[in-house]
Amino acid sequence: MVEPVVLPHTIRGAGPHGVLALHGWFGDRASFEPLLAHADGERFSYAAPDQRGYGDARGIEGEYTTAEVAADALALADHLGWATFSVVGHSMGGKVAQNLVALAPERVRAIVGVSPVPAAGAGLDSDAWALFRGAVDDPSARRAIINLTTGDRLPGVWLEAMVATSLARSTTAAFAAYLEDWAGTDFHESVKGSPVPALAVAGAHDPALSPDVMRATWMEWFPNARLCVLQDAGHYAMDETPLALLAAVEGFLASVGG
């Protein structure tokens, strides 16, 4: 693994409970803006970094793995002076949250996965692998994935905007390499049985990382896990139901000592 770096990041709030906010495969740190615009800044301090190959970190090269992102996130926590912190991760970022539990369990207060990829990988079949690998070079495949994972129910203008942002804010090399890692690697034995409080948030309209997938993974691996199902969301709850998601996230973090 290359040397960890302090990634470009946004800080929101000045509260005593530090929270790392880690974006997904199609996003960058701006993905969290719909949440952070209304976050409780007196109770929480949120740090949302761009991961290597994304956003303002597009010029920072690396191996582009979730373990590497976790090491970089830990470097950011050190930079901010956070001895302990919580983690909110969306999709691929949810797998990074689990990486952090494996990397520094004594420092993680709680984790929240928003449609999180399990530590065991995504379990893609051959057809799904073809679609997702095709998304590296084909914008129409990116659109199809976003539409599929939000239940084929959201406006086309939003789908096109998500694709455009993804293309503009990530490099092809990073996008391709992260896929192989988040979808394929399995380290769930490293987190199984961890006492860290964990909240899995699943959208009822997400067929890929569904409530049932959360029950078979997070709810089995983390003894102190809870499941929140957002009935009006698919895979992108930050866009689809930001206030309901924020209420779930901050309510959970407050309940575990926030």
Side-chain angles (χ1 to χ4, degrees), residues 61-98:
E61 297 182 353
E63 299 172 356
Y64 307 125
T65 66
T66 55
E68 181 179 72
V69 177
D72 287 342
L74 195 59
L76 175 57
D78 291 341
H79 172 75
L80 295 172
W82 294 354
T84 61
F85 52 85
S86 293
V87 189
V88 178
H90 173 241
S91 194
M92 176 177 76
K95 189 166 186 177
V96 178
Q98 295 160 91

Side-chain angles (χ1 to χ4, degrees), residues 3 7 37 68 89 102 109 152 203 212 243:
E3 191 71 19
L7 295 163
E68 181 179 72
R109 298 175 65 170
D152 190 20
D212 284 344
L243 295 180

Side-chain angles (χ1 to χ4, degrees), residues 139-140 143-144 146 154-167:
S140 67
R143 189 185 194 279
I146 297 167
L154 298 180
V157 171
W158 178 80
L159 296 173
E160 295 294 343
M162 290 287 287
V163 172
T165 297
S166 173
L167 292 168

Side-chain angles (χ1 to χ4, degrees), residues 23-25 27 50-58 169-170 174-175 178:
H23 66 76
W25 192 43
D50 282 322
Q51 296 163 24
R52 294 177 193 241
Y54 282 72
D56 292 338
R58 279 170 291 177
R169 300 292 287 170
S170 64
F175 192 80
Y178 281 126

Side-chain angles (χ1 to χ4, degrees), residues 144-201:
I145 291 168
I146 297 167
N147 188 46
L148 170 68
T149 57
T150 52
D152 190 20
R153 52 186 254 288
L154 298 180
V157 171
W158 178 80
L159 296 173
E160 295 294 343
M162 290 287 287
V163 172
T165 297
S166 173
L167 292 168
R169 300 292 287 170
S170 64
T171 68
T172 300
F175 192 80
Y178 281 126
L179 168 63
E180 299 300 320
D181 182 84
W182 66 252
T185 60
D186 180 355
F187 61 87
H188 81 280
E189 290 293 342
S190 298
V191 300
K192 191 175 181 180
S194 169
V196 64
L199 175 67
V201 180

Side-chain angles (χ1 to χ4, degrees), residues 40-57:
D40 184 347
E42 294 185 1
R43 175 171 281 177
F44 303 102
S45 295
Y46 291 89
D50 282 322
Q51 296 163 24
R52 294 177 193 241
Y54 282 72
D56 292 338

